Amino acid sequence: MSSTFDDSAYVLPLYHSPRRLPLPPQGSAPSGPLPSPPPDGFVIPRIPPPDCPLRVTRDSRGHRQLPHVSDHPLPVDHERVIRLVKSRVDVVAKCANCAELAIPCEFSESGIPCPPCAVLGIPDCDYSDPYFFVANLAYHRDAYLHEERSVLVDAVKQNFLEPSQFSREYERANAWYYSAAQGAITRFLINCHATGDLAFRGYQCIAEASNDAGLLSRFLAIGHESGMHPSVLQTVAGRLQGLFNTFLGEE
Ligand SMILES: [Zn+2]
Ligand SMILES: [Zn+2]
């Protein structure tokens, strides 16, 4: 199946492949006739690919699973990996929770919630959402492949590349991208593991250590007013209830 290059879908790639333009095939003159099949006759891959591997799936227990896209991942501190996790599709300026609360929001990198969501104990910030992250990866892959595909098609048309070598070169470009994407997936999982429910567990520890019913009551009031997540308020309310039960039991 072939498709034409869609200029309307072109977006700036996040980074450029270091791959140089392939050398002309041996024995062919730049101005001579193109070998068969002609440039217009070979299959131009679709973007996004029909069998796109960048999908979130569910395991048998219903837990969300990120895809495995490369057996040769780049290290999590590789420059290309860092660029992927620190960029985002700039469609919305804020995560959904900050937009709803009408407060400033800040993106650091994928897998780390924005600061307001973090301190409010909100567990579902967009920036640590696997679907948000995978959509980002797909966006940057498509931008990169649009450019690579265009360069390779031009190389064939200018007789710098054998049409029969197009697929191999295009697969190389794909592998180059997916090795960085796999590193980014690993970094995303590390980030989620390190930052997930950190605030909730912190509030839980603080509440459990407190015997001050007045302080816990004030925390509940302020937390409710400032948009603290219900799971945090519940753990504080649970501690407060425990204190009252102890007090009543002692009477
Ligand atoms: Zn936010
Ligand atoms: Zn957020």
Side-chain angles (χ1 to χ4, degrees), residues 93-99 101 103-107 113-118 122 125-127:
K94 296 179 178 183
C95 77
N97 296 314
C98 289
L101 294 170
I103 54 176
C105 182
E106 193 179 290
F107 176 80
C114 72
C117 282
I122 295 171
C125 180
D126 290 339
Y127 301 157

Side-chain angles (χ1 to χ4, degrees), residues 44-67:
I44 298 180
R46 289 167 60 186
I47 300 172
D51 55 347
C52 173
L54 292 173
R55 289 190 308 270
V56 179
T57 54
R58 300 254 178 195
D59 66 11
S60 56
R61 290 178 296 173
H63 295 154
R64 293 176 295 188
Q65 296 285 305
L66 286 167

